[in-house]
């Protein structure tokens, strides 16, 4: 395979990912498969990205957002469910192992846990020369050995380290070995999956510096997957923020860090602990936990936790009261409100368990502010919902809630909106509604 | 007023390869209601230090100390059973991975309630048969301890506590589980809470919540917190005073603001220079080399092989603390006492 | 800077002592030196092997030579070419028991080793393929293994011999060997399932390594420790299986000297001549115990947890 066939034209990205999806079947056995009992985990659900020659794109998100799966689906290590991955114009999405081989040389991977990514029974020489053997690089073992030693020096190790075994190195050195292995094939793109998160702070910086040195000397494109925003700002040119299988915002690193458009990005940035007191901003605390990717929320996936969620047109109060009520509504929808237990608690405390007391107690526990702070007519509605629920009339409760609480964020999926050099998907960027919490 | 005073604590592990001195003659003070940070990388001995204080070091570890005084009591002279009542009572602990410290087969409520019964006088029987009965047939819900369990969950910010109290640990998310651990730690109304990497396994957004919780709980209950972590930023945001540990020694100690504005020890300086900051890209200046293996370290200043300022003297003369300013000390031979603005 | 060597680094290197890498062989030797029981086991196994190999030189007389029948131990018989000493007596045909035990070691050990080797290779291949590919290959192979597992080893082996219709060493080897396949297949599959998720296997795939190479070079070497332990635990079982088959009259041809057959034949005379069955029984016991002691030592050396190999 000649290299020129893979050469990208000027401006055309090296790697183009379109609408990439990876769903995992949770069905376990044969019976599950036959009966169709399994559900699918939508780990990656429609991701678009591009990676240009020589740039570093960081995919950032919290655990379970699908970022690692995305990296592996791009490398065809997980067979994508849908969508395409193009490398230099060629579709590599559904290539078989053999067809994929020439591209493997161009696309490499660095792992999070340096020790487990190295075979404990092989010497460093064997580990680093394996890719060369597989691709027929180098004429003899001695030839390859020479190259291994060269690579070791390049990643800051010593030639003599070639005969050691992985466990004889510290974590940082192991990561260097992993990097040398990835470089052995002189790839164009390296996907680095949390390359420093398993390392000690003082060693992280060594590896980050090494990566950027190598990037400029090899002209590499890096796709860094990380949860650590400090790492992102250190090495990335562009950032893609992922939430529940989707990219919610993507753009140049300065713009995203200085003027984040998406409420999730804002919350994420504000949560990062800062060493310098001057850098600290007001913290946006997210309530609740990330919903399950088996059944992601409708509309904007962030709506169950979004601090800026847009009130329904029928809402008479302000946004912050809406947010509280909306959370209550979401819990109602997910059957998380358990009347019996509330009743039991009242009983145990020796209090009455008539409908009104239970309703008050339920609302009391569910709202983090005094319920009296809600507008009067809303209070009435909330009590009505609670009463329906207590009388075992869930449908009625939901119907009542829908009338006042259906946010546009829940009803429709926001499209990516371009703003400057970045894009974000949030209704606030399109709707006439002015954000109640203005950015910064 | 000092709550915990540790003097001259050394913890050694005798292994086949030699003696590992995990903690090497360390002093530590925690005042009442204060948030104290203990930062260090892996192998710095920060966790072993905490375990030594509360008597959790196991064979082949050997702890020796001049004195460990907690609330006027000599911890180093307590028997194992006296120590056990103290742990989880006046001294509580929270660990990195809450799942391993929670029993997966017992409801969280019952686990908290048990802690409540154990460390408070609720008038409920805590005999073995009574406890077993609760474990097997479920907790009685009309008891003082159960009510307290719900209250505690509420206090650590778990929504709908009367529902969650009946759920099992696996039904909680990572952050929620850590809250359960914290509520359990609070059951004995502790004076000191030792939090060992409490947020390391959590996502940033959850970490932010938990750190806020810890800060406000510390104020509310006047509980001192010893926060053990590798994360400088976490310490910078939460702690009043910080101890920096390296290879078994505390090498610098200062109020948090002072430490981060004016670090003195070459290791602290190196650590700060090598930590990337969100929102600011700058040239990182890594500390060369790796954290040393603690077996039979033969040189005096443990940082010497990696230190950019080390001289031959550093390998032979053990650095003592020198005062770098009010309440600020650093153990380095190349620092003159009381000259604080030397770069 | 990471790539440049400062003088500090050089100084640091002097004190950079590296943990020694212990190869399998070194770990094995270390354990034998420390653990007297497994050392003893190894010595016993080795001496039996030597005796088996050099049987014609070690045995005092020809095992096919007939003397007076059922002479008790420690007796002499007069023959044409002089006197013969029967350390362990003679059997019901008049063969010298000591010599037959020595020659029997040949067959018993050979059968055991070849059987286990056969089961090891086939079972490993099945387990590797099943674990690595998963899906329908896994289902198919493992259903077969489950099917086989449901039969007691001996009944299965007896069935195979009955089907093949003749007695003989080869048939015993195949019968017992096939019956042991499931043990190895299950062990290897479970190892592969955990190893497959290791990042170095993902790395190998990312390099473009072929499946075969991944299985042989990346996965198998890491499963080898528990496989070796399993082998040492299976050999004594194979010895016993061969003995039991012979004991049931399903083993090798009746006049071949094997421990199992000797035990079987002596059984009828146990009240009159105990030595006919007791001595071959002892031989079996000693070898089995030796292998078990050795296997336990290996288990420690490789740090294989109890549950990881299938004791049966
Ligand atoms: S669309 Fe609505 S819920 Fe989603 S991020 Fe924007 S404001 Fe929040
Ligand atoms: S004593 Fe010497 S080696 Fe240690 S930190 Fe100070 S200058 Fe560096």
């Amino acid at each position: 395979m000649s290299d020129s066939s893979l050469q990208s034209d000027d401006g055309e990205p090296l790697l183009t990912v379109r609408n990439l999806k990876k769903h995992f079947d949770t069905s376990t056995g044969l019976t599950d498969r036959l009966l169709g009992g399994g559900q699918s985990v939508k780990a990656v659900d429609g991701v678009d990205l591009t990676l240009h020659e020589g740039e570093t794109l960081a995919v950032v998100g919290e655990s379970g957002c699908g970022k690692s799966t995305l990296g592996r689906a791009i490398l065809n290590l997980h067979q994508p469910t849908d969508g395409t991955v193009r490398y230099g114009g060629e579709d590599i999405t559904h290539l078989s192992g053999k067809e994929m081989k020439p591209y493997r040389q161009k696309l490499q991977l660095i792992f999070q846990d340096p020790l487990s990514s190295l075979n404990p029974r092989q010497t460093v020489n064997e580990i680093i020369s394996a890719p060369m053997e597989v691709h027929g690089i180098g004429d003899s073992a001695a030839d390859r050995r020479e190259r291994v030693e060269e690579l070791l020096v390049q990643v800051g190790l010593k030639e003599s380290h070639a005969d050691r075994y992985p466990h004889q190195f510290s974590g940082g050195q192991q990561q260097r070995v992993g990097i040398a292995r990835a470089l052995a094939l002189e790839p164009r793109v390296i996907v680095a999956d949390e390359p420093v998160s398993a390392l000690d702070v003082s060693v992280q910086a060594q590896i980050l510096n090494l990566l950027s040195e190598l990037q400029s000397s090899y002209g590499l494109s890096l796709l860094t997957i990380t949860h650590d925003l400090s790492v992102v700002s250190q090495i990335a040119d562009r950032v893609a923020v992922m939430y529940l299988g989707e990219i919610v915002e993507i753009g140049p690193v300065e713009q995203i860090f200085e003027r984040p458009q998406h409420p999730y990005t804002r919350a994420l940035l504000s949560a990062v602990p800062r060493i310098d007191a001057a850098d600290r901003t007001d913290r946006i605390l997210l309530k609740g936990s990330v919903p399950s990717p088996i059944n992601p929320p409708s509309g904007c996936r962030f709506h169950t936790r979004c601090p800026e969620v847009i009130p329904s047109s029928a809402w008479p109060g302000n946004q912050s009261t809406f947010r509280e009520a909306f959370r209550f509504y979401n819990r109602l929808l997910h059957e998380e409100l358990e009347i019996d237990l509330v009743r039991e608690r009242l009983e145990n405390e020796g209090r009455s368990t008539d409908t009104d007391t239970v309703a008050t107690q339920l609302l009391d526990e569910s709202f983090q502010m005094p319920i009296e702070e809600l507008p009067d007519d809303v209070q009435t509605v909330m009590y009505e919902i609670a009463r329906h629920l207590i009388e075992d009339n869930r449908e009625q409760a939901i119907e009542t809630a829908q009338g006042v609480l259906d946010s546009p964020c829940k009803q429709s999926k926001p499209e990516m909106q371009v703003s400057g050099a970045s894009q974000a998907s949030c209704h606030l960027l399109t709707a006439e509604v002015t954000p109640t919490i203005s950015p910064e | 007023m000092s709550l915990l005073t540790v003097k001259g604590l050394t913890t050694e592990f005798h292994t086949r390869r030699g003696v590992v001195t995990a903690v090497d003659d360390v002093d530590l003070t925690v005042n009442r209601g204060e948030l104290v940070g203990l930062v260090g990388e892996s192998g710095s001995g920060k966790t072993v230090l905490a375990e030594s204080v509360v008597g959790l070091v196991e064979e082949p570890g050997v702890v020796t100390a001049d004195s460990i005084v907690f609330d006027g009591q000599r911890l180093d002279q307590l028997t194992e059973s006296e120590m056990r009542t103290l742990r989880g009572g006046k001294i509580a602990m929270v660990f990195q991975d809450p799942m391993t410290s929670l029993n997966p087969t017992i409801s969280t409520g019952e686990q908290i309630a048990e802690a409540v019964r154990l460390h408070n006088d609720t008038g409920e029987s805590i005999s073995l048969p009574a406890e077993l009965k609760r474990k097997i047939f479920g907790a009685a819900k009309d008891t003082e301890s159960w009510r307290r369990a719900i209250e505690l969950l509420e206090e650590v910010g778990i929504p709908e506590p009367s529902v969650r109290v009946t759920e099992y640990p696996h039904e909680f998310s990572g952050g929620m589980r850590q809250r359960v651990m914290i509520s359990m730690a609070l059951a004995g109304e502790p004076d000191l809470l030792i939090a060992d990497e409490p947020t390391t396994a959590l996502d940033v957004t959850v970490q932010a919540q938990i750190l806020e919780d810890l800060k406000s709980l510390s104020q509310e209950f006047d509980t001192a917190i010893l926060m053990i972590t590798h994360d400088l930023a976490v310490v910078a945001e939460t702690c009043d005073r910080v101890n920096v540990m390296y290879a078994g020694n505390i090498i610098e100690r200062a109020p948090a603001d002072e430490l981060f504005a004016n670090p003195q020890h070459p290791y602290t300086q190196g650590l700060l220079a090598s930590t990337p900051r969100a929102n600011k890209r700058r040239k990182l200046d890594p500390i060369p080399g790796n954290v040393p293996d603690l077996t039979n370290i033969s040189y005096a200043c443990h940082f010497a092989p990696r230190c950019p300022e080390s001289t031959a003297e550093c390998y032979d003369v053990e650095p003592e603390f020198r005062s770098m300013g009010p309440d600020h000390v650093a153990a380095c031979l190349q620092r003159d006492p009381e000259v604080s603005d030397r770069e | 800077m990471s790539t440049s060597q400062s003088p500090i680094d050089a100084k640091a290197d002097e004190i950079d002592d590296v943990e020694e890498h212990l190869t399998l062989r070194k770990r094995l030797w270390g354990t034998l030196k420390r653990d007297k029981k497994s050392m003893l086991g190894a010595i016993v196994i080795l001496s039996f092997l030597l005796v088996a190999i050099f049987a014609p030189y070690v045995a005092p007389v020809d095992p096919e030579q007939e003397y007076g029948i059922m002479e008790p131990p420690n007796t002499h018989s007069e023959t044409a070419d002089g006197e013969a000493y029967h350390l362990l007596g003679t059997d019901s045909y008049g063969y010298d028991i000591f010599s037959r035990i020595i020659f029997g070691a040949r067959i018993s050990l050979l059968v055991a080793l070849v059987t286990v080797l056969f089961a090891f290779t086939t079972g490993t291949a099945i387990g590797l393929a099943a674990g690595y590919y998963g899906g329908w290959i896994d289902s198919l192979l493992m259903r077969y293994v489950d099917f086989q597992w449901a039969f007691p080893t001996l009944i299965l082996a007896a069935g195979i011999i009955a089907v093949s219709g003749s007695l003989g060493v080869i048939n015993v080897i195949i019968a017992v060997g096939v019956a042991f396949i499931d043990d190895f297949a299950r062990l290897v599959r479970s190892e592969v399932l955990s190893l497959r998720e290791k990042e170095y296997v993902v790395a190998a795939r990312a390099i473009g390594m072929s499946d075969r190479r991944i299985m042989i070079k990346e996965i198998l070497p890491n499963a080898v420790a528990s496989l070796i332990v399993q082998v040492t635990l299976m050999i004594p079982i194979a010895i016993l299986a061969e003995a039991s088959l012979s004991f049931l009259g399903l083993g090798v041809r009746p006049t071949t000297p094997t421990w199992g057959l000797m035990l079987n034949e002596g059984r009828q005379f146990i009240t009159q001549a105990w030595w006919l069955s007791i001595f071959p029984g002892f031989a079996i016991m000693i070898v089995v115990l030796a292998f078990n002691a050795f296997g336990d030592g290996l288990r420690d050396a490789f740090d294989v947890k109890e549950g990881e190999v299938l004791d049966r």
Side-chain angles (χ1 to χ4, degrees):
Chain A
M1 156 138 301
S2 76
D3 206 7
S4 61
S5 71
L6 296 176
Q7 204 77 48
S8 58
D9 298 336
D10 285 311
E12 202 203 310
L14 199 52
L15 204 60
T16 315
V17 176
R18 284 284 159 262
N19 193 29
L20 193 69
K21 291 187 181 170
K22 176 66 202 177
H23 297 179
F24 291 101
D25 220 353
T26 56
S27 60
T28 41
L30 204 59
T31 40
D32 255 7
R33 245 170 277 162
L34 287 178
L35 301 173
Q39 295 161 301
S40 73
V41 176
K42 300 173 184 67
V44 176
D45 209 16
V47 162
D48 291 323
L49 9 121
T50 52
L51 182 67
H52 294 270
E53 190 95 51
E55 80 166 339
T56 301
L57 171 65
V59 177
V60 62
E62 299 183 279
S63 55
C65 73
K67 56 189 190 301
S68 283
T69 311
L70 173 65
R72 291 179 189 205
I74 289 176
L75 293 181
N76 203 354
L77 291 167
H78 286 320
Q79 179 74 57
T81 312
D82 196 11
T84 54
V85 178
R86 287 170 175 280
Y87 172 72
E90 320 243 347
D91 189 342
I92 60 166
T93 327
H94 298 286
L95 296 187
S96 69
K98 269 209 192 67
E99 293 165 332
M100 191 64 200
K101 198 167 157 188
Y103 297 98
R104 294 260 177 251
Q105 196 172 343
K106 301 293 159 202
L107 304 163
Q108 276 302 310
L109 184 58
I110 299 174
F111 296 88
Q112 167 172 12
D113 179 354
L115 184 57
S116 100
S117 74
L118 306 174
N119 191 331
R121 298 230 185 280
Q122 293 180 358
T123 62
V124 165
N125 180 45
E126 289 171 284
I127 290 170
I128 304 178
S129 54
M132 295 189 258
E133 270 171 45
V134 168
H135 289 273
I137 299 171
D139 305 324
S140 62
D143 217 29
R144 285 189 282 268
R145 164 92 189 198
E146 212 169 285
R147 173 87 180 113
V148 168
E149 289 177 357
E150 243 170 65
L151 282 165
L152 285 177
V153 173
Q154 267 179 35
V155 297
L157 294 171
K158 276 177 279 172
E159 285 145 3
S160 59
H161 287 157
D163 295 316
R164 286 201 194 164
Y165 286 85
H167 71 94
Q168 296 174 297
F169 292 98
S170 66
Q173 290 173 319
Q174 286 161 355
Q175 194 58 293
R176 287 171 196 267
V177 173
I179 293 172
R181 169 177 57 195
L183 287 176
L185 294 173
E186 304 192 4
R188 302 281 299 281
V189 177
I190 287 187
V191 174
D193 190 355
E194 302 273 11
V196 296
S197 59
L199 305 176
D200 274 323
V201 193
S202 71
V203 181
Q204 278 190 5
Q206 296 173 6
I207 299 294
L208 291 177
N209 280 359
L210 175 67
L211 279 176
S212 38
E213 271 168 46
L214 293 170
Q215 175 168 36
S216 48
S217 59
Y218 278 78
L220 286 170
S221 305
L222 275 178
L223 182 70
T224 307
I225 293 163
T226 180
H227 71 281
D228 188 337
L229 285 151
S230 321
V231 169
V232 172
S233 71
Q234 190 61 35
I235 62 171
D237 302 315
R238 287 193 304 134
V239 196
V241 182
M242 256 184 113
Y243 184 78
L244 261 186
E246 296 178 335
I247 288 181
V248 296
E249 182 161 7
I250 183 167
V253 70
E254 310 80 35
Q255 195 173 336
I256 302 262
F257 276 72
E258 270 151 39
R259 291 185 305 284
Q261 300 295 316
H262 197 281
Y264 177 64
T265 315
R266 282 200 275 274
L268 204 57
L269 280 168
S270 80
V272 179
R274 317 279 177 146
I275 290 179
D276 307 308
D279 295 341
R280 286 173 207 158
T281 52
D282 277 344
R283 198 147 269 173
I284 306 168
L285 288 181
L286 291 183
K287 304 266 168 63
S289 43
V290 186
S292 150
I294 294 178
N295 238 328
S298 63
C300 171
R301 290 194 175 171
F302 189 48
H303 80 244
T304 54
R305 301 170 75 203
C306 181
E308 298 173 43
V309 63
I310 304 168
S312 62
S313 46
W315 186 255
N318 60 11
Q319 197 265 353
S320 68
T321 53
F322 177 77
R323 214 189 321 150
E324 285 278 317
F326 189 61
R327 247 211 342 269
F328 176 66
Y329 175 37
N330 274 317
R331 284 214 287 270
L332 167 67
L333 286 177
H334 291 108
E335 301 183 37
E336 286 172 7
L337 301 173
E338 305 216 20
I339 303 299
D340 293 347
L341 290 164
V342 174
R343 200 176 280 135
E344 200 172 294
R345 178 178 183 181
L346 288 174
E347 239 164 51
N348 291 337
E349 285 171 8
R351 286 157 62 188
S352 127
T353 54
D354 58 17
T355 310
D356 279 337
T357 327
V358 178
T360 314
Q361 177 72 15
L362 176 73
L363 292 174
D364 222 40
E365 281 194 23
S366 301
F367 281 73
Q368 261 158 18
M369 58 182 179
I371 185 94
E372 291 73 35
E373 280 178 24
L374 292 172
D376 285 347
D377 31 348
V378 177
Q379 272 183 51
T380 332
V381 177
M382 291 299 140
Y383 271 105
E384 198 180 322
I385 297 171
R387 265 195 301 272
H388 281 312
L389 205 57
I390 293 160
E391 282 152 12
D392 227 7
N393 208 342
R394 218 176 136 254
E395 252 100 277
Q396 197 73 52
I398 292 176
E399 217 167 277
T400 315
Q402 253 165 9
V404 269
L405 288 166
D406 251 351
S407 155
C409 299
K410 182 174 172 343
Q411 285 161 336
S412 69
K413 198 173 190 68
E415 296 292 324
M416 273 286 181
Q417 295 298 321
V418 179
S419 103
S422 74
Q423 300 178 17
S425 62
C426 169
H427 284 310
L428 286 175
L429 302 171
T430 40
E432 291 81 65
V433 198
T434 33
T436 13
I437 301 168
S438 60
E440 269 159 77
Chain B
M1 176 192 147
S2 101
L3 176 67
L4 174 73
T5 315
V6 177
K7 285 220 159 60
L9 187 139
T10 299
T11 305
E12 291 177 337
F13 292 88
H14 296 265
T15 70
R16 225 189 285 166
R17 293 185 54 217
V19 178
V20 178
T21 311
V23 180
D24 187 9
D25 192 12
V26 161
D27 297 345
L28 179 73
T29 322
V30 178
N31 296 323
R32 211 168 266 285
E34 186 188 35
L35 275 148
V36 177
L38 192 55
V39 270
E41 300 179 278
S42 60
S44 61
K46 54 191 192 302
T47 297
V48 179
L49 169 54
E51 286 173 350
S52 307
V53 169
V54 293
L56 279 180
V57 172
E58 285 177 14
E59 282 290 310
V62 180
V63 183
T64 50
D66 297 340
S67 71
I68 306 176
V69 181
F70 172 75
D71 203 10
Q73 212 174 357
R74 283 289 293 263
L75 293 192
D76 46 338
Q77 290 167 354
L78 290 189
T79 65
E80 176 52 34
S81 78
E82 287 168 324
M83 202 69 210
R84 212 172 295 138
T85 26
L86 207 61
R87 280 198 301 263
K90 288 293 152 212
I91 304 181
M93 278 162 292
V94 177
F95 300 100
Q96 174 172 350
D97 183 3
M99 204 52 195
T100 55
S101 343
L102 287 170
N103 186 332
T105 62
I106 298 174
S107 70
T108 49
E110 170 54 23
Q111 295 187 55
I112 302 169
E114 182 182 4
V116 171
R117 287 191 297 271
L118 229 51
H119 298 289
N120 300 279
D121 187 15
T122 59
E124 296 164 57
S125 164
I126 51 168
S127 66
L128 188 60
E131 286 294 342
L132 271 179
K133 192 170 142 244
R134 292 188 189 101
K135 298 295 172 294
I136 297 167
F137 300 107
K141 309 240 161 88
D142 52 358
T143 56
E144 174 63 30
S145 60
W146 188 257
R147 269 193 290 277
R148 182 81 188 118
I150 299 179
E151 272 170 34
L152 282 166
L153 283 177
E154 208 160 15
E155 248 150 40
V156 295
I158 288 184
E160 295 157 289
S162 51
V163 176
R164 306 309 300 254
V165 75
T166 57
E167 293 181 359
Y168 290 83
H170 70 263
E171 296 175 83
F172 287 70
S173 66
M176 287 293 174
R177 253 178 243 148
Q178 197 56 288
R179 292 213 171 97
V180 171
M181 284 306 300
I182 295 172
S183 68
M184 213 186 281
L186 294 177
E189 288 163 19
D191 290 327
L192 175 64
L193 177 68
I194 298 178
D196 190 356
E197 303 272 11
T199 58
T200 306
L202 306 175
D203 282 321
V204 259
T205 55
V206 184
Q207 163 169 296
Q209 300 162 3
I210 300 277
L211 292 179
E212 293 295 322
D213 289 351
L214 281 175
K215 275 200 279 191
S216 58
L217 289 171
S218 150
Q219 260 173 14
E220 193 180 323
F221 292 89
D222 196 24
T223 300
I225 298 183
L226 180 63
M227 173 85 75
I228 302 171
T229 177
H230 70 283
D231 193 331
L232 292 171
V234 165
V235 168
E237 291 222 342
T238 48
C239 295
D240 306 323
R241 276 191 316 125
V242 184
N243 297 272
V244 184
M245 255 190 117
Y246 184 79
N249 300 116
I250 289 178
I251 49 93
E252 185 160 10
R253 167 182 309 158
D257 302 338
E258 160 76 5
L259 185 88
F260 292 106
N262 191 17
Q264 285 301 315
H265 194 279
Y267 173 67
T268 317
Q269 291 171 344
L271 208 53
L272 283 165
S274 61
T275 310
R277 315 283 159 97
N279 77 349
K280 269 190 249 169
R281 184 177 306 204
R282 49 188 198 132
K283 179 111 187 55
L284 294 186
D285 206 353
I287 304 174
N290 299 293
V291 182
D293 178 352
L294 294 176
T295 325
N296 311 328
I297 291 192
S298 54
Y299 37 97
C301 174
H302 292 179
F303 188 53
R306 302 175 76 190
C307 180
E309 299 177 46
S310 65
T311 62
E313 193 192 7
C314 304
Y315 284 82
D316 302 326
V317 183
E318 192 159 325
E320 297 286 329
F321 272 137
R322 298 173 179 198
S323 168
M324 296 288 128
D327 212 14
H328 184 174
V329 288
C332 172
L333 299 172
Q334 306 297 318
R335 295 288 178 271
D336 298 330
E338 293 289 4
V339 180
S340 52
D341 56 1
R342 171 173 173 163
E343 236 327 290
Chain C
M1 193 85 292
S2 50
T3 44
S4 63
Q5 270 263 333
S6 70
I8 313 278
D9 281 349
K11 184 108 196 185
D13 278 345
E14 286 167 31
I15 39 184
D16 168 43
D17 70 321
V18 179
E19 194 187 322
E20 194 194 357
H21 177 74
L22 296 172
T23 56
L24 276 186
R25 206 173 316 136
K26 277 191 216 155
R27 270 199 279 174
L28 182 52
W29 183 233
T31 309
L32 286 183
K33 273 200 296 195
R34 241 178 305 121
D35 180 2
K36 295 284 165 291
K37 214 175 74 199
S38 62
M39 182 61 132
L40 189 68
I43 291 173
V44 170
I45 293 168
L46 204 66
S47 18
F48 265 90
L49 280 176
L50 288 175
V51 165
I53 292 166
F54 298 106
Y57 306 97
V58 183
V61 297
D62 181 353
E64 305 285 323
Q65 172 79 45
E66 290 176 27
Y67 302 93
I69 58 169
M70 291 199 258
E71 300 278 0
N74 198 11
T75 50
H76 295 261
S77 29
E78 303 294 333
T79 57
D81 21 87
E83 207 186 42
Y85 172 60
H86 306 298
L87 178 65
L88 305 179
T90 63
D91 68 9
S92 55
Y93 299 100
Y95 297 141
D96 179 61
I97 292 182
F98 185 53
S99 302
R100 281 182 83 79
I101 284 181
I102 289 172
F103 273 87
R106 276 192 150 178
I107 311 242
S108 293
L109 290 180
L110 184 79
V111 168
L113 290 176
V114 178
T115 305
V116 172
L117 192 73
F118 174 78
F120 172 84
T121 31
T122 337
T124 302
I126 292 179
L128 255 182
Y132 186 74
Y133 290 111
W136 64 269
I137 299 185
D138 185 30
S139 304
L140 192 76
L141 290 173
M142 292 324 280
R143 280 310 79 73
Y144 163 72
V145 168
D146 284 347
F147 167 78
Q148 192 191 311
W149 186 68
F151 284 95
T153 309
L154 263 187
I155 296 187
L156 188 67
I160 295 171
I161 287 176
V163 171
S164 74
S166 62
L167 302 180
V169 175
I170 302 287
N171 278 331
V172 172
I173 288 173
I174 294 177
V176 182
V178 168
F180 282 179
I181 288 176
D182 56 324
D183 297 74
F184 285 99
R186 281 162 170 271
L187 172 68
V188 172
R189 177 174 176 271
S190 70
E191 287 274 315
V192 173
L193 281 184
S194 71
L195 292 171
R196 194 178 62 171
E197 301 304 320
K198 291 269 167 136
E199 290 190 332
Y200 57 81
V201 175
V202 181
R205 288 174 57 211
I207 284 164
M209 224 181 250
S210 65
D211 288 343
R212 227 187 54 194
R213 182 171 169 159
I214 293 178
M215 283 191 266
I216 294 172
K217 295 201 97 168
E218 305 290 327
I219 294 183
L220 205 51
N222 287 293
V224 110
S226 32
L227 272 171
I228 294 180
V229 174
Q230 181 76 2
V231 164
T232 57
L233 294 177
M234 292 303 280
I235 286 179
I237 301 176
I239 294 177
L240 290 174
E242 183 271 328
S244 318
L245 280 180
S246 303
F247 188 80
L248 294 171
L250 290 170
V252 295
R253 249 177 290 276
T255 51
T256 326
T258 82
W259 297 344
L261 263 185
M262 294 169 74
L263 194 67
N264 186 25
E265 278 157 11
R267 180 181 51 127
Q268 313 157 35
F269 307 101
I270 189 82
T271 47
Q272 307 137 38
W274 52 271
W275 58 94
L276 263 58
S277 43
I278 293 295
F279 290 121
F282 260 132
I284 295 175
M285 195 182 81
I286 290 169
V287 174
V288 168
L289 285 178
F291 267 106
N292 277 336
F294 181 58
D296 279 346
L298 285 187
R299 209 202 300 251
D300 295 345
F302 301 149
D303 200 19
V304 178
K305 278 169 212 71
E306 284 282 341
E308 271 177 49
V309 289
L310 310 152
D311 256 328
R312 37 189 257 176

